[in-house]
Amino acid sequence: MSDELSHLHCGAGGGPVLPGRTVTAQMDLLKGLWRENPVLIQLLGLCPTLAVTNSVANSVVMAGATFFVLVGSSLLVSLLKRFVPNEVRITSYILIIATFVSVAEMGLQALVPEIHKALGAFVALIVVNCIILGRQEAFAGRNPVGRSVLDAVGMGIGFTIALLLMGSVREILGSGTFLGVSLFGPGFEPWVIMVLPPGGFFTLAFVLLTVAWARQRRAARAAAAGRDAAVARRAA
Amino acid sequence: MGDLAWIFFSSMVVNNFTLMLFLGLCPFLGVSGRLDTALRMGAADMFVLTMTAVAVWFLNAYVLAHVPYLRLIAFIIVIASLVQIVEMVIKKLSPVLFRELGIYLPLITTNCAVLALAIFQTNRGYGLLEGLVFAVGSGAGLTLALLLMASIRESLDLADIPDVARGTALVLFVAGGLSLAFMGFAGLLSSS
């Protein structure tokens, strides 16, 4: 696989590092939460985001498994980066990721067999989750261990936030419950469509629409502030 | 024969990989902008799916019975190497086709539909013939979804849509609509 591939498919841009600004540990951790949120901003890992979020419990378990694989692979990739030849690095990353996913899958099967069954093939499919390969290629493969783990933790939390958001909306509207606890009493007619596949597409569409609207407003406000400042300068 | 037809239609429309199982969404959202690229992507997908089905059948029959815990790792390595081999063979035999497929061929390695096909095929215990039919059906389903989406998006280019809704959100709304339509096929096979 080529560099071109990972950029095109996994959006593995390392994130804009602003010149003249030192990158702090806090930034490594926090950028994944919102500014570079893997799902809401970078649009990576959409398959699990849509497929397993029909209940909050499924979302939590899926996010936990992905978090484990992401942090584990980032740690190992970062530790091994001196020993992995550049030509076979992506293959090596996938092997490392697949190993952690195998561990996660067996762990889930032993700990929460019910949910493991509900998630089906999607636990195994964490291997091809773009977020994980993307972080190895963009960050862990070229940064020190501490920063790579912080970056992975941040991205993992960002993914968890997105999954919880989707899972909450879909379970509350689609089943009238939250984590299985009934919210609205017996009079509530659940929107069954929300827990079915189309509901996933619609929920994510609304979430992304809201994100786009928020970003557009912020950009407009920043532009207006810039204009005001220019006017004030000219007046002075 | 009836079983094979059932597998084919089930994987193509009733359990459509993209619209019902959310597999292979990256190309679905990424390369569905134009009809001809969508068609090429679908063809490349179907080709790799078919090859994978054969390879997975071989692995399951002769190798993985002894080392079941290596399943996932074996699948991903086989898929990655398979795509590379296919790429080299096509480059050698038909440079024209190779140029046509371009970047879409290597992209398929990280397409979750391919790994999912391998896992489903194993879990359901399909033999060689069933696996092949399953792969062709799934590939046809992916292509169908890509083509529908591409035709809709080509028309949407001319529609008057607020700026904020353009982009992925709009594509997802359309996908939701398509998915709703495909749910209509749910009763197709259970009634017979």
PDB file of all heavy atoms in Angstrom, chain B residues 19-42:
ATOM      1  N   LEU B  19     -26.428  -0.683   2.630  1.00  0.00           N
ATOM      2  CA  LEU B  19     -27.594   0.036   3.136  1.00  0.00           C
ATOM      3  C   LEU B  19     -28.227  -0.629   4.347  1.00  0.00           C
ATOM      4  O   LEU B  19     -28.937   0.016   5.115  1.00  0.00           O
ATOM      5  CB  LEU B  19     -28.635   0.181   2.024  1.00  0.00           C
ATOM      6  CG  LEU B  19     -28.161   1.057   0.879  1.00  0.00           C
ATOM      7  CD1 LEU B  19     -29.088   0.973  -0.293  1.00  0.00           C
ATOM      8  CD2 LEU B  19     -28.033   2.493   1.339  1.00  0.00           C
ATOM      9  N   MET B  20     -28.004  -1.913   4.539  1.00  0.00           N
ATOM     10  CA  MET B  20     -28.619  -2.592   5.672  1.00  0.00           C
ATOM     11  C   MET B  20     -27.611  -2.928   6.761  1.00  0.00           C
ATOM     12  O   MET B  20     -27.931  -2.944   7.932  1.00  0.00           O
ATOM     13  CB  MET B  20     -29.288  -3.892   5.201  1.00  0.00           C
ATOM     14  CG  MET B  20     -30.576  -3.655   4.476  1.00  0.00           C
ATOM     15  SD  MET B  20     -31.830  -3.052   5.609  1.00  0.00           S
ATOM     16  CE  MET B  20     -32.565  -1.772   4.647  1.00  0.00           C
ATOM     17  N   LEU B  21     -26.379  -3.261   6.372  1.00  0.00           N
ATOM     18  CA  LEU B  21     -25.383  -3.696   7.366  1.00  0.00           C
ATOM     19  C   LEU B  21     -24.292  -2.661   7.591  1.00  0.00           C
ATOM     20  O   LEU B  21     -23.392  -2.872   8.389  1.00  0.00           O
ATOM     21  CB  LEU B  21     -24.754  -5.024   6.922  1.00  0.00           C
ATOM     22  CG  LEU B  21     -25.737  -6.167   6.688  1.00  0.00           C
ATOM     23  CD1 LEU B  21     -25.005  -7.398   6.173  1.00  0.00           C
ATOM     24  CD2 LEU B  21     -26.472  -6.512   7.959  1.00  0.00           C
ATOM     25  N   PHE B  22     -24.350  -1.543   6.895  1.00  0.00           N
ATOM     26  CA  PHE B  22     -23.359  -0.466   7.056  1.00  0.00           C
ATOM     27  C   PHE B  22     -21.936  -0.937   6.815  1.00  0.00           C
ATOM     28  O   PHE B  22     -21.034  -0.599   7.574  1.00  0.00           O
ATOM     29  CB  PHE B  22     -23.422   0.126   8.465  1.00  0.00           C
ATOM     30  CG  PHE B  22     -24.767   0.609   8.872  1.00  0.00           C
ATOM     31  CD1 PHE B  22     -25.487  -0.042   9.840  1.00  0.00           C
ATOM     32  CD2 PHE B  22     -25.304   1.739   8.297  1.00  0.00           C
ATOM     33  CE1 PHE B  22     -26.721   0.419  10.224  1.00  0.00           C
ATOM     34  CE2 PHE B  22     -26.540   2.203   8.675  1.00  0.00           C
ATOM     35  CZ  PHE B  22     -27.252   1.528   9.651  1.00  0.00           C
ATOM     36  N   LEU B  23     -21.706  -1.754   5.806  1.00  0.00           N
ATOM     37  CA  LEU B  23     -20.342  -2.171   5.503  1.00  0.00           C
ATOM     38  C   LEU B  23     -19.889  -1.477   4.219  1.00  0.00           C
ATOM     39  O   LEU B  23     -20.687  -1.288   3.307  1.00  0.00           O
ATOM     40  CB  LEU B  23     -20.273  -3.681   5.322  1.00  0.00           C
ATOM     41  CG  LEU B  23     -20.669  -4.464   6.572  1.00  0.00           C
ATOM     42  CD1 LEU B  23     -20.922  -5.913   6.240  1.00  0.00           C
ATOM     43  CD2 LEU B  23     -19.608  -4.330   7.625  1.00  0.00           C
ATOM     44  N   GLY B  24     -18.625  -1.131   4.170  1.00  0.00           N
ATOM     45  CA  GLY B  24     -18.100  -0.463   2.984  1.00  0.00           C
ATOM     46  C   GLY B  24     -18.675   0.924   2.782  1.00  0.00           C
ATOM     47  O   GLY B  24     -18.952   1.343   1.664  1.00  0.00           O
ATOM     48  N   LEU B  25     -18.830   1.662   3.903  1.00  0.00           N
ATOM     49  CA  LEU B  25     -19.395   3.005   3.774  1.00  0.00           C
ATOM     50  C   LEU B  25     -18.393   3.995   3.204  1.00  0.00           C
ATOM     51  O   LEU B  25     -18.789   4.973   2.579  1.00  0.00           O
ATOM     52  CB  LEU B  25     -19.869   3.507   5.131  1.00  0.00           C
ATOM     53  CG  LEU B  25     -21.177   2.916   5.631  1.00  0.00           C
ATOM     54  CD1 LEU B  25     -21.515   3.504   6.977  1.00  0.00           C
ATOM     55  CD2 LEU B  25     -22.289   3.194   4.653  1.00  0.00           C
ATOM     56  N   CYS B  26     -17.088   3.751   3.426  1.00  0.00           N
ATOM     57  CA  CYS B  26     -16.103   4.732   2.962  1.00  0.00           C
ATOM     58  C   CYS B  26     -16.213   4.962   1.458  1.00  0.00           C
ATOM     59  O   CYS B  26     -16.390   6.095   1.029  1.00  0.00           O
ATOM     60  CB  CYS B  26     -14.692   4.320   3.345  1.00  0.00           C
ATOM     61  SG  CYS B  26     -14.459   4.141   5.113  1.00  0.00           S
ATOM     62  N   PRO B  27     -16.144   3.896   0.610  1.00  0.00           N
ATOM     63  CA  PRO B  27     -16.311   4.165  -0.819  1.00  0.00           C
ATOM     64  C   PRO B  27     -17.715   4.668  -1.146  1.00  0.00           C
ATOM     65  O   PRO B  27     -17.899   5.464  -2.062  1.00  0.00           O
ATOM     66  CB  PRO B  27     -16.056   2.805  -1.476  1.00  0.00           C
ATOM     67  CG  PRO B  27     -16.214   1.807  -0.407  1.00  0.00           C
ATOM     68  CD  PRO B  27     -15.837   2.490   0.871  1.00  0.00           C
ATOM     69  N   PHE B  28     -18.699   4.197  -0.378  1.00  0.00           N
ATOM     70  CA  PHE B  28     -20.085   4.613  -0.638  1.00  0.00           C
ATOM     71  C   PHE B  28     -20.221   6.121  -0.498  1.00  0.00           C
ATOM     72  O   PHE B  28     -20.904   6.775  -1.279  1.00  0.00           O
ATOM     73  CB  PHE B  28     -21.016   3.898   0.349  1.00  0.00           C
ATOM     74  CG  PHE B  28     -22.471   4.172   0.142  1.00  0.00           C
ATOM     75  CD1 PHE B  28     -23.079   3.841  -1.052  1.00  0.00           C
ATOM     76  CD2 PHE B  28     -23.230   4.735   1.144  1.00  0.00           C
ATOM     77  CE1 PHE B  28     -24.424   4.082  -1.241  1.00  0.00           C
ATOM     78  CE2 PHE B  28     -24.567   4.978   0.960  1.00  0.00           C
ATOM     79  CZ  PHE B  28     -25.169   4.649  -0.237  1.00  0.00           C
ATOM     80  N   LEU B  29     -19.563   6.698   0.514  1.00  0.00           N
ATOM     81  CA  LEU B  29     -19.632   8.142   0.697  1.00  0.00           C
ATOM     82  C   LEU B  29     -18.577   8.849  -0.147  1.00  0.00           C
ATOM     83  O   LEU B  29     -18.775   9.966  -0.588  1.00  0.00           O
ATOM     84  CB  LEU B  29     -19.417   8.507   2.168  1.00  0.00           C
ATOM     85  CG  LEU B  29     -20.404   7.886   3.150  1.00  0.00           C
ATOM     86  CD1 LEU B  29     -20.038   8.231   4.574  1.00  0.00           C
ATOM     87  CD2 LEU B  29     -21.810   8.343   2.849  1.00  0.00           C
ATOM     88  N   GLY B  30     -17.437   8.162  -0.381  1.00  0.00           N
ATOM     89  CA  GLY B  30     -16.307   8.828  -1.007  1.00  0.00           C
ATOM     90  C   GLY B  30     -16.349   8.880  -2.523  1.00  0.00           C
ATOM     91  O   GLY B  30     -16.097   9.923  -3.111  1.00  0.00           O
ATOM     92  N   VAL B  31     -16.639   7.754  -3.179  1.00  0.00           N
ATOM     93  CA  VAL B  31     -16.535   7.734  -4.638  1.00  0.00           C
ATOM     94  C   VAL B  31     -17.892   7.604  -5.317  1.00  0.00           C
ATOM     95  O   VAL B  31     -17.994   7.087  -6.413  1.00  0.00           O
ATOM     96  CB  VAL B  31     -15.604   6.604  -5.141  1.00  0.00           C
ATOM     97  CG1 VAL B  31     -14.194   6.832  -4.684  1.00  0.00           C
ATOM     98  CG2 VAL B  31     -16.095   5.257  -4.696  1.00  0.00           C
ATOM     99  N   SER B  32     -18.942   8.075  -4.638  1.00  0.00           N
ATOM    100  CA  SER B  32     -20.261   7.969  -5.258  1.00  0.00           C
ATOM    101  C   SER B  32     -20.667   9.274  -5.925  1.00  0.00           C
ATOM    102  O   SER B  32     -21.823   9.515  -6.197  1.00  0.00           O
ATOM    103  CB  SER B  32     -21.307   7.558  -4.216  1.00  0.00           C
ATOM    104  OG  SER B  32     -21.341   8.512  -3.174  1.00  0.00           O
ATOM    105  N   GLY B  33     -19.694  10.135  -6.190  1.00  0.00           N
ATOM    106  CA  GLY B  33     -20.029  11.429  -6.780  1.00  0.00           C
ATOM    107  C   GLY B  33     -20.387  11.334  -8.250  1.00  0.00           C
ATOM    108  O   GLY B  33     -21.234  12.075  -8.738  1.00  0.00           O
ATOM    109  N   ARG B  34     -19.759  10.409  -8.984  1.00  0.00           N
ATOM    110  CA  ARG B  34     -20.023  10.301 -10.411  1.00  0.00           C
ATOM    111  C   ARG B  34     -20.332   8.849 -10.773  1.00  0.00           C
ATOM    112  O   ARG B  34     -19.784   7.916 -10.204  1.00  0.00           O
ATOM    113  CB  ARG B  34     -18.831  10.788 -11.217  1.00  0.00           C
ATOM    114  CG  ARG B  34     -18.634  12.289 -11.116  1.00  0.00           C
ATOM    115  CD  ARG B  34     -17.382  12.729 -11.870  1.00  0.00           C
ATOM    116  NE  ARG B  34     -17.313  12.098 -13.197  1.00  0.00           N
ATOM    117  CZ  ARG B  34     -17.996  12.536 -14.253  1.00  0.00           C
ATOM    118  NH1 ARG B  34     -18.773  13.581 -14.135  1.00  0.00           N
ATOM    119  NH2 ARG B  34     -17.875  11.924 -15.411  1.00  0.00           N
ATOM    120  N   LEU B  35     -21.192   8.709 -11.776  1.00  0.00           N
ATOM    121  CA  LEU B  35     -21.708   7.387 -12.115  1.00  0.00           C
ATOM    122  C   LEU B  35     -20.616   6.440 -12.614  1.00  0.00           C
ATOM    123  O   LEU B  35     -20.564   5.276 -12.220  1.00  0.00           O
ATOM    124  CB  LEU B  35     -22.802   7.543 -13.181  1.00  0.00           C
ATOM    125  CG  LEU B  35     -23.863   6.453 -13.233  1.00  0.00           C
ATOM    126  CD1 LEU B  35     -24.487   6.235 -11.881  1.00  0.00           C
ATOM    127  CD2 LEU B  35     -24.934   6.829 -14.249  1.00  0.00           C
ATOM    128  N   ASP B  36     -19.696   6.935 -13.471  1.00  0.00           N
ATOM    129  CA  ASP B  36     -18.726   6.005 -14.067  1.00  0.00           C
ATOM    130  C   ASP B  36     -17.694   5.528 -13.043  1.00  0.00           C
ATOM    131  O   ASP B  36     -17.326   4.360 -13.042  1.00  0.00           O
ATOM    132  CB  ASP B  36     -18.053   6.630 -15.307  1.00  0.00           C
ATOM    133  CG  ASP B  36     -17.478   7.992 -15.013  1.00  0.00           C
ATOM    134  OD1 ASP B  36     -17.881   8.580 -13.999  1.00  0.00           O
ATOM    135  OD2 ASP B  36     -16.631   8.469 -15.784  1.00  0.00           O
ATOM    136  N   THR B  37     -17.251   6.432 -12.142  1.00  0.00           N
ATOM    137  CA  THR B  37     -16.317   5.960 -11.109  1.00  0.00           C
ATOM    138  C   THR B  37     -17.017   4.991 -10.169  1.00  0.00           C
ATOM    139  O   THR B  37     -16.404   4.026  -9.707  1.00  0.00           O
ATOM    140  CB  THR B  37     -15.740   7.129 -10.287  1.00  0.00           C
ATOM    141  OG1 THR B  37     -16.784   8.005  -9.951  1.00  0.00           O
ATOM    142  CG2 THR B  37     -14.658   7.846 -11.020  1.00  0.00           C
ATOM    143  N   ALA B  38     -18.285   5.245  -9.889  1.00  0.00           N
ATOM    144  CA  ALA B  38     -19.030   4.353  -9.002  1.00  0.00           C
ATOM    145  C   ALA B  38     -19.103   2.951  -9.602  1.00  0.00           C
ATOM    146  O   ALA B  38     -18.912   1.949  -8.915  1.00  0.00           O
ATOM    147  CB  ALA B  38     -20.426   4.905  -8.743  1.00  0.00           C
ATOM    148  N   LEU B  39     -19.354   2.897 -10.904  1.00  0.00           N
ATOM    149  CA  LEU B  39     -19.450   1.601 -11.570  1.00  0.00           C
ATOM    150  C   LEU B  39     -18.121   0.855 -11.507  1.00  0.00           C
ATOM    151  O   LEU B  39     -18.066  -0.340 -11.216  1.00  0.00           O
ATOM    152  CB  LEU B  39     -19.869   1.812 -13.031  1.00  0.00           C
ATOM    153  CG  LEU B  39     -20.137   0.538 -13.821  1.00  0.00           C
ATOM    154  CD1 LEU B  39     -21.305  -0.210 -13.224  1.00  0.00           C
ATOM    155  CD2 LEU B  39     -20.418   0.861 -15.283  1.00  0.00           C
ATOM    156  N   ARG B  40     -17.021   1.573 -11.745  1.00  0.00           N
ATOM    157  CA  ARG B  40     -15.703   0.959 -11.710  1.00  0.00           C
ATOM    158  C   ARG B  40     -15.367   0.447 -10.310  1.00  0.00           C
ATOM    159  O   ARG B  40     -14.837  -0.641 -10.122  1.00  0.00           O
ATOM    160  CB  ARG B  40     -14.661   1.997 -12.137  1.00  0.00           C
ATOM    161  CG  ARG B  40     -13.927   1.596 -13.383  1.00  0.00           C
ATOM    162  CD  ARG B  40     -13.101   2.741 -13.854  1.00  0.00           C
ATOM    163  NE  ARG B  40     -13.809   3.532 -14.842  1.00  0.00           N
ATOM    164  CZ  ARG B  40     -13.512   4.792 -15.121  1.00  0.00           C
ATOM    165  NH1 ARG B  40     -12.566   5.401 -14.468  1.00  0.00           N
ATOM    166  NH2 ARG B  40     -14.170   5.418 -16.060  1.00  0.00           N
ATOM    167  N   MET B  41     -15.695   1.272  -9.317  1.00  0.00           N
ATOM    168  CA  MET B  41     -15.453   0.870  -7.933  1.00  0.00           C
ATOM    169  C   MET B  41     -16.238  -0.396  -7.611  1.00  0.00           C
ATOM    170  O   MET B  41     -15.717  -1.321  -6.985  1.00  0.00           O
ATOM    171  CB  MET B  41     -15.886   2.012  -7.008  1.00  0.00           C
ATOM    172  CG  MET B  41     -15.631   1.751  -5.558  1.00  0.00           C
ATOM    173  SD  MET B  41     -13.877   1.819  -5.200  1.00  0.00           S
ATOM    174  CE  MET B  41     -13.804   0.755  -3.781  1.00  0.00           C
ATOM    175  N   GLY B  42     -17.501  -0.426  -8.044  1.00  0.00           N
ATOM    176  CA  GLY B  42     -18.332  -1.594  -7.780  1.00  0.00           C
ATOM    177  C   GLY B  42     -17.740  -2.839  -8.417  1.00  0.00           C
ATOM    178  O   GLY B  42     -17.679  -3.905  -7.794  1.00  0.00           O
TER     179      GLY B  42
END
